Amino acid sequence: MLDEHDLGKCRVLYNRLIKELIMTNHIYYGEYSLNHWIELILKKDIILPDYQRSFVWDEADIARLIKSLQDKQFIQPVTIALYSPERERTRNLIIDGQQRLTSILLAKLGYIPNKEKFSSEDQIADKDDNDEENAVDLQEQNRGPIKWTFKLLLSDDVSKNSINEIRDRISRDDKYIIFNNTCNKEFFEKTFIGFSYVVPDSTNRNEIQRYFAQLFRSINYFGKRLSPLESRRSLYYMNSSLQPYFDGEAEDGQYVLDNIKIKDRLQYSKIDFVRYLSILSQYVGKGKCLAEVMKKYSANRTRESYYADYVSYLVGLDQEDNKDKFDGFSMGALFPHSEWKHRFSILKDEVKRLKKHFNLDDKGAFTSWIDADYWLFGLIYEVVFENKTLKEDIQPLVDEITKKIREKRGLDENNIYLKNPNRLSNLRDRLNDSIITYQSYVQ
């Protein structure tokens, strides 16, 4: 039995333990049904902090989330944090997951905001958008963020925030349009999304805000994004047999472009073989119509979506946008029995024949996309897509390609073409010129 002295020591240790527990950040984990998440929003038991960005998803994004949930795919958990400083109202803040939770609410309501009826969110200039074609892209895709969050759906009186009452209010408001979905009552009752619930170790307002700022930036800013190549390669696993096709590997496992690089904005990078495959595949699939090539993808920042969609199209996944762009291209019809493997080997040999004429720098790189595209578009098209080889005498071809590159580089005294070689009209121009040139020198 403990004596009074031992009991006193136990009380000290107990009090110290309690203090340490209180002063330690706690993180709890669990999951809620979709209905419960919606109820938390409607009752304002979870709220958006002022610094959260606006809702940026569109109808396709919402539909994609719903389908992922219906297919029992992994959905990233939501992060909620307790905000409970001294002498202030306790609140549960949505730190990460606004887009997911808002999408679930909108799917339940059957309405989404009409982007044309809300003012645009303020944006900073994008350094990549430097030609007039980009403005058309952004208008057509209608992907700009608007000044809207689910707060605009809720009444100050939470008793008036039932689904039926909100639906009745917005159904008479032309700022909202109908969202058709396949969700039934059971879907919202029996589908779950996980959460992490963060309880800070302090009641000091400044300390809590500092902690939340760090947490928010850790989730939304400092988190390392996958590189475009890493992101695309994650799609390859849907059909691993196509990995050598996308990576440009010949039958011996060697890169078909013989490790030639591209110097782009002072950086040396491996040439993106999917760039050439996707553009040429669309060119072929759309009946060799140049106007269809990368249509709606003139902005540089949209082109990675185009390349990723090409991979998705071939491995049988949904594309992000403009889902008919690769229609007409059939890999099975063009490359029966995986014929591309043999053609890749031929392409590698032809690249080695031409390489000494490419005018590469001392690091084995093209110094401009002008040079790369004039040499590669026609070559890849004729060998891989047309199953042809170069004639034995390649000097006339070399002379003509070299002349065309020299002409483009000296178009005018201001070198406008050189300043923006990847403008879509310029890219299409090189695609057409290169293919036409090679047609006279293959057999």
Side-chain angles (χ1 to χ4, degrees), residues 276-285 377 380-381 385 431 435:
Y276 289 95
L277 290 175
S278 57
I279 291 172
L280 289 169
S281 294
Q282 187 181 28
Y283 174 76
V284 171
F377 267 132
I380 296 171
Y381 174 77
F385 290 81
L431 169 67
I435 289 176

Side-chain angles (χ1 to χ4, degrees), residues 170-400:
I170 63 179
S171 66
R172 292 179 274 108
D173 189 339
D174 66 354
K175 290 184 177 181
Y176 296 87
I177 56 178
I178 292 175
F179 172 71
N180 294 312
N181 64 78
T182 58
C183 307
N184 54 31
K185 180 180 179 181
E186 187 177 87
F187 169 75
F188 291 97
E189 291 175 347
K190 297 186 177 181
T191 304
F192 294 78
I193 289 181
F195 67 84
S196 55
Y197 183 56
V198 181
V199 181
D201 66 353
S202 175
T203 58
N204 180 278
R205 185 174 185 270
N206 290 334
E207 289 181 1
I208 293 175
Q209 289 182 333
R210 189 182 305 114
Y211 174 70
F212 281 176
Q214 292 172 343
L215 177 63
F216 184 77
R217 283 174 64 81
S218 295
I219 293 173
N220 295 285
Y221 183 78
F222 289 118
K224 296 292 186 181
R225 292 183 177 182
L226 293 175
S227 70
L229 186 56
E230 289 171 332
S231 179
R232 271 187 249 153
R233 280 180 172 163
S234 70
L235 302 175
Y236 296 177
Y237 293 105
M238 297 298 295
N239 187 342
S240 58
S241 66
L242 289 179
Q243 175 266 320
Y245 175 79
F246 295 126
D247 281 345
E249 293 181 5
E251 290 175 298
D252 60 3
Q254 298 298 309
Y255 184 44
V256 293
L257 299 183
D258 201 29
N259 295 320
I260 298 172
K261 293 180 171 57
I262 179 76
K263 184 180 180 182
D264 188 21
R265 298 179 184 177
L266 303 179
Q267 180 178 347
Y268 287 90
S269 305
K270 181 180 179 180
I271 290 177
D272 188 354
F273 198 61
V274 168
R275 174 180 181 267
Y276 289 95
L277 290 175
S278 57
I279 291 172
L280 289 169
S281 294
Q282 187 181 28
Y283 174 76
V284 171
K286 293 298 184 180
K288 303 179 183 179
C289 176
L290 281 173
E292 290 294 324
V293 172
M294 299 195 85
K295 183 179 179 180
K296 301 182 181 180
Y297 293 91
S298 62
N300 287 331
R301 65 184 179 186
T302 65
R303 293 185 185 178
E304 176 54 35
S305 296
Y306 175 87
Y307 307 141
D309 274 355
Y310 178 66
V311 176
S312 296
Y313 173 76
L314 292 186
V315 301
L317 295 174
D318 288 339
Q319 299 176 61
E320 294 287 331
D321 294 299
N322 310 308
K323 298 184 179 182
D324 64 344
K325 58 182 173 290
F326 297 113
D327 288 358
F329 174 72
S330 170
M331 194 164 181
L334 189 62
F335 307 123
H337 311 296
S338 298
E339 174 64 19
W340 57 268
K341 296 179 181 179
H342 176 62
R343 298 183 193 180
F344 274 19
S345 295
I346 296 174
L347 176 62
K348 187 187 72 168
D349 293 339
E350 299 290 25
V351 168
K352 287 185 175 181
R353 287 180 66 195
L354 289 171
K355 185 176 179 179
K356 63 182 179 181
H357 303 287
F358 284 172
N359 192 29
L360 306 176
D361 68 8
D362 57 0
K363 293 188 177 181
F366 287 114
T367 57
S368 168
W369 284 107
I370 298 173
D371 298 62
D373 287 349
Y374 266 105
W375 284 112
L376 298 179
F377 267 132
L379 179 63
I380 296 171
Y381 174 77
E382 292 296 341
V383 175
V384 176
F385 290 81
E386 292 291 318
N387 195 23
K388 296 181 180 179
T389 58
L390 297 179
K391 293 179 178 179
E392 185 174 348
D393 182 8
I394 60 172
Q395 192 57 51
L397 168 65
V398 170
D399 292 342
E400 187 169 348

